[in-house]
Amino acid sequence: MKRWYLFIVLLLLLALVITACGGQETEVAEEQTTAEEASEEQPTEKVVINLWHSIPPESETYMIEELMPKYYEDNPNCQIDIRAYGVEDPAVIRTGLALPMDDPTRPHMWWIASSETGAYVEADVLADVDGWLNDHPDIKANIIPALLELSSYDGKVRSLPWMTNNTAMWINVDAFEAAGVPVPSQNPEETWTWDEFSDAMQKVTEANDGMKGFLVTVNQGWDMWTFHSWYAAAGGEMPGIPDFTSEATIKAVQLQKDLLANGYASTSPTGWDASPWYAGEVAVVANGPWNFPALAVFEDFNFTVVPYPRDEKPGANLGGDQLFIGKAPTAEQEACAFAFGELVLSDDFQIGFQKHSGNLPVTTSAAESEEYLAYLDKYPFLYGFVNQTPFGVARHPIPEFADITNAFTPAWDDVMLNDADIADRFSQLQSEVDMILGK
């Protein structure tokens, strides 16, 4: 009896042990399942890069809502934090780049004009855009050559062109017809010559009461930028800082001074102000495609846009903003930045962004696409800007460029407003430029 009792007790104890072990295994399995489920629910951490820009709000919204989804579809691990910093100001970007490399607010990409390039190269803050383009030859070959030059400094491409623009001649067609003057061709290689331009300004002035032919811009820093068009057309050496004592400079300045002296031109309130043209006070003004919203609905008179007059060759002033890609703390962040650069240079982005913003494509495939050509056919005045892009000359991307521009404006205004002697005043300007450059 005792043996049976002991046997039963042992069986009960064995059952308890097996039950306990089985429970532990179940608990372990349950814990493992819970951990796996938690791992599946935990989102992958995004690679964050910061983009600083001064894009107008409407274009920024369009970019985010219409163009960025493609980026995230192709790069689900990347997240671009977009910061609009207001009016374009190089000092804001430089302040951001002064932050430590691992500061989460430091810009990894930024939008600004190419004239800042030299300063960034000297500070050694840029990623290897030249190497990336050489590794992507199809992308590089698709960028309009003049814009690759605009993006370069010291023999290497330093940034990616995002958009471009230039100024061209807005023409009051009614005023030209009243004067019996033919409207020039929109082909830069076949458009009017300087002599034909001067003759047209005389005839338009004489045939239209209360109207001058041309608007000479003064009182604004962009006078140096528009001067590039005339200087290059006259055979001035580009790229680089213009030689302000050269024959090309004297010719370019004399052309507009003579128009004023003969009464065939007037001066602007400020360089960028096209209001005298809108008001019918002048027949021709040099201004840009960023005015597209107003021009697209303009009905007061017939108008078109044609290239700058050609002298020894066509010339135009290239503008626009670049995508600068900075050195990043990690390879993953740099990869996300270059992926964004690839998006910016895609046809969908170039066509969509430029149509919305009123600027011009930077790639051949976008500029020649059926979609963009159909857009140009709808607004044919835009051909005057687009056709000039291959003949554009760049603002020299050196840190001293802003100081040189500031020295140019008073010299230009002295000639146009105060009848200063061109050779004397521009010789003085050249001396000032030499001092700025440390020569």
Side-chain angles (χ1 to χ4, degrees):
M1 184 71 180
K2 289 181 179 179
R3 288 179 180 176
W4 280 107
Y5 176 76
L6 291 171
F7 180 70
I8 291 171
V9 171
L10 289 172
L11 287 176
L12 289 172
L13 290 172
L14 181 61
L16 289 172
V17 170
I18 292 172
T19 301
C21 291
Q24 289 176 352
E25 290 175 355
T26 301
E27 290 176 3
V28 170
E30 290 176 352
E31 290 174 359
Q32 289 176 342
T33 301
T34 302
E36 290 172 357
E37 291 174 350
S39 176
E40 291 175 358
E41 294 173 359
Q42 184 68 30
T44 303
E45 187 174 352
K46 297 284 188 179
V47 177
V48 178
I49 53 174
N50 300 321
L51 169 64
W52 290 18
H53 72 82
S54 58
I55 300 169
E58 297 82 4
S59 295
E60 179 196 41
T61 299
Y62 174 82
M63 179 181 74
I64 292 172
E65 294 180 354
E66 301 296 331
L67 303 176
M68 291 300 295
K70 173 63 174 173
Y71 176 80
Y72 290 120
E73 178 184 336
D74 294 342
N75 304 277
N77 63 314
C78 299
Q79 176 65 45
I80 299 182
D81 284 354
I82 299 176
R83 172 191 170 186
Y85 63 87
V87 178
E88 184 170 308
D89 184 355
V92 175
I93 300 297
R94 295 188 186 194
T95 299
L97 292 173
L99 296 170
M101 181 69 74
D102 58 354
D103 189 298
T105 64
R106 190 179 196 268
H108 306 113
M109 303 187 295
W110 57 97
W111 136 304
I112 204 164
S114 61
S115 53
E116 282 289 285
T117 306
Y120 300 142
V121 172
E122 288 187 0
D124 193 25
V125 296
L126 298 177
D128 184 13
V129 169
D130 195 69
W132 182 80
L133 282 175
N134 289 335
D135 289 338
H136 296 78
D138 291 345
I139 294 177
K140 183 176 183 179
N142 194 31
I143 299 172
I144 295 171
L147 294 168
L148 271 181
E149 184 176 290
L150 179 77
S151 307
S152 298
Y153 179 83
D154 199 22
K156 291 185 177 182
V157 182
R158 307 291 184 165
S159 62
L160 300 176
W162 182 312
M163 38 73 76
T164 191
N165 53 46
N166 55 62
T167 57
M169 299 286 145
W170 299 8
I171 303 292
N172 183 326
V173 174
D174 290 340
F176 271 54
E177 290 180 349
V181 176
V183 174
S185 169
Q186 289 183 308
N187 182 339
E189 295 181 291
E190 299 175 359
T191 197
W192 47 2
T193 65
W194 281 18
D195 287 341
E196 290 168 341
F197 168 71
S198 295
D199 183 61
M201 296 307 94
Q202 177 181 352
K203 290 178 178 177
V204 167
T205 300
E206 293 173 347
N208 295 274
D209 291 338
M211 179 183 288
K212 300 292 185 181
F214 187 58
L215 187 70
V216 175
T217 62
V218 294
N219 299 322
Q220 184 73 19
W222 87 335
D223 293 331
M224 170 73 163
W225 182 44
T226 56
F227 169 76
H228 278 63
S229 303
W230 304 98
Y231 177 76
E237 290 296 324
M238 298 298 293
I241 297 298
D243 177 353
F244 294 114
T245 62
S246 67
E247 180 182 353
T249 291
I250 303 303
K251 286 173 63 179
V253 180
Q254 189 73 56
L255 177 70
Q256 295 185 61
K257 182 178 181 180
D258 286 346
L259 290 177
L260 285 170
N262 293 327
Y264 307 143
S266 60
T267 55
S268 63
T270 57
W272 51 266
D273 190 353
S275 58
W277 185 81
Y278 287 113
E281 297 170 3
V282 294
V284 181
V285 63
N287 219 298
W290 51 84
N291 296 283
F292 173 78
L295 295 175
V297 298
F298 203 66
E299 297 179 350
D300 287 0
F301 57 78
N302 295 327
F303 78 96
T304 190
V305 177
V306 303
Y308 271 84
R310 57 193 168 90
D311 187 36
E312 294 189 14
K313 59 183 179 180
N317 54 326
L318 282 181
D321 286 278
Q322 305 291 108
L323 174 65
F324 285 92
I325 299 177
K327 292 182 177 179
T330 69
E332 291 79 10
Q333 286 173 301
E334 190 168 293
C336 287
F338 276 111
F340 181 74
E342 187 168 354
L343 173 80
V344 166
L345 292 172
S346 67
D347 282 357
D348 286 346
F349 191 102
Q350 280 296 306
I351 295 169
F353 189 87
Q354 313 316 349
K355 285 170 61 178
H356 190 274
S357 69
N359 289 290
L360 312 176
V362 304
T363 60
T364 300
S365 60
E368 296 179 354
S369 67
E370 290 185 7
E371 180 181 351
Y372 193 71
L373 291 176
Y375 169 71
L376 293 181
D377 287 342
K378 184 177 180 181
Y379 303 104
F381 64 87
L382 289 173
Y383 278 105
F385 301 110
V386 174
N387 292 349
Q388 284 192 139
T389 301
F391 301 94
V393 295
R395 290 173 284 194
H396 204 45
I398 60 174
E400 299 86 0
F401 185 83
D403 293 332
I404 294 171
T405 295
N406 291 336
F408 178 89
T409 298
W412 176 265
D413 288 354
D414 276 349
V415 170
M416 300 302 163
L417 298 175
N418 304 323
D419 200 29
D421 180 79
I422 299 173
D424 290 345
R425 188 61 183 87
F426 273 71
S427 177
Q428 178 186 338
L429 170 61
Q430 186 64 54
S431 297
E432 295 173 18
V433 170
D434 289 343
M435 290 180 62
I436 291 170
L437 296 174
K439 293 184 178 180

